[in-house]
Amino acid sequence: MIIFKEKHALKVYLATLKAQNKTIGFVPTMGALHQGHLSLIKQAQQRNDVVVVSIFVNPTQFDNKEDLAKYPKTLESDTKLLESVACDVLFHPSIEEIYHKNIVSESFDFDGLEHQMEGKFRDGHFNGVGTIVKTLFEIVEPDNAYFGQKDFQQLQIIKKMVEKHQLNLKIKGCKIFREKDGLAMSSRNVRLTKEQREIAPFIYKTLKKAKKKFSDKSADKVSKWVENQFKKEPLLKLEYFTIADEKTLETIIKKESDKKYRAFIAVFAGEIRLIDNIQLKN
Ligand code: PAF
């Protein structure tokens, strides 16, 4: 695996591969890699000649300074893991390399997708995500880029950005990778205490039950039921649960048979924020 810290050197290297008609698959990450990331890399490897992974903890997408400071940084083990799965290129730039001295986000219009759910609770988050993902796409110029569906809203927003800015690549959404007990894999999971880790699978269990209930109950009834379930779990604090249209991400008002819906949830275990989602059947 070749490691680049400088964008210019990476661009020069990738240009030689592109000149040989090699396709580039790209997996942007913030490190603290887990099996979920490895599954994205595997999918990238199956469909591209070369796979580039980036590790960059992007400051502009954090609305909470403490969350940024405590975000797990495990570069050494990440590098070993990437080598063990035969990743071709790691891009690990410094903050200056990406932002120079101006650590601010661009302002994006994602046609309202940015105002739902995570956008309501994490001020400026999607401007930060848009800024870094667009910058990384401009550096790597991949043919395909891979994102997990755990961050479903992020995935839809990135697809929207590619469409609106007419970027020349395909975005591939990959299914959520879960621990054996159902907890969605996340870099933040390592920060959970033993007790919090034991109770965390309650989130997905509740989502699965909500999915069942949604087949014959209204979204409102299901939401109220979920809220009550979390009141019984003192170690978990529900931030939001919402059933939304997969396309617009707007909270459902009335079920319509031709629409696809998904339930979205954000929960605090202590100071650690966990998100998850599940596709629903009408
Ligand atoms: O999903 C993430 O890890 C990040 O939001 C991303 C896409 C790498 C941008 O920093």
Side-chain angles (χ1 to χ4, degrees), residues 203-250:
I203 301 168
Y204 183 52
K205 275 190 198 134
T206 309
L207 280 183
K208 281 197 295 188
K209 287 184 189 162
K211 176 177 176 143
K212 262 196 177 159
K213 289 190 183 290
F214 187 67
S215 61
D216 61 358
K217 289 197 173 43
S218 71
D220 197 44
K221 282 219 165 87
V222 177
S223 303
K224 292 222 163 72
W225 177 82
V226 170
E227 282 160 23
N228 282 328
Q229 296 307 299
F230 276 90
K231 283 183 191 148
K232 297 179 209 158
E233 276 308 336
L235 286 181
L236 298 175
K237 190 170 161 284
L238 181 66
E239 186 173 49
Y240 67 78
F241 170 84
T242 187
I243 296 179
D245 183 315
E246 273 200 355
K247 243 182 153 180
T248 63
L249 302 182
E250 281 168 16

Side-chain angles (χ1 to χ4, degrees), residues 28-30 37 56 58 61 71 129 132-133 147 151 154 158:
T29 82
M30 298 207 296
H37 293 115
F56 180 70
N58 174 38
Q61 71 186 76
Y71 200 85
V129 170
I132 186 60
V133 172
F147 296 86
D151 298 287
Q154 167 175 281
I158 290 166

Side-chain angles (χ1 to χ4, degrees), residues 45 72 118 203 259:
Q45 285 172 327
E118 294 297 285
I203 301 168
K259 293 213 167 133

Side-chain angles (χ1 to χ4, degrees), residues 10 43 47 87 110 131 159 177 179 191-192 261 277:
L10 173 64
Q43 291 180 62
R47 291 182 189 87
C87 171
F110 298 118
T131 302
K159 283 183 181 166
F177 227 73
E179 301 287 353
R191 292 184 55 210
L192 296 168
Y261 297 112
N277 66 77

Side-chain angles (χ1 to χ4, degrees), residues 98-110:
I98 296 293
Y99 286 103
H100 309 283
K101 285 201 161 58
N102 196 22
I103 309 178
V104 289
S105 305
E106 237 183 88
S107 215
F108 289 90
D109 173 3
F110 298 118

